[in-house]
Amino acid sequence: MSGTSFTVNYGGKSLSGTINADMTTRATVGGETSTGKAVLSEGGQRLTLTWDDGSPSDVFTRK
């Protein structure tokens, strides 16, 4: 796998980005780009995006 793209819509905003095979992440929201690391846990049911700039992590859970 070379990577995958994603889009998350929330509160009238849209976050789009990529997760590479080495789990590095690059995302853009409101014209601002951030980089970080993606971590899967709970048997692939939980995705945590941790940002290099120290912003709070974003956590997504599959229901």
Side-chain angles (χ1 to χ4, degrees):
M1 179 175 93
S2 62
T4 189
S5 61
F6 63 89
T7 301
V8 177
N9 296 303
Y10 64 97
K13 295 183 180 180
S14 179
L15 169 85
S16 60
T18 57
I19 300 174
N20 296 315
D22 64 357
M23 299 302 275
T24 57
T25 304
R26 182 179 183 91
T28 303
V29 63
E32 219 173 286
T33 300
S34 296
T35 58
K37 203 77 162 155
V39 176
L40 281 174
S41 58
E42 298 179 17
Q45 299 299 304
R46 181 181 175 108
L47 172 66
T48 302
L49 303 177
T50 304
W51 304 108
D52 293 338
D53 67 1
S55 296
S57 296
D58 292 300
V59 180
F60 305 93
T61 304
R62 181 180 289 170
K63 300 263 180 179

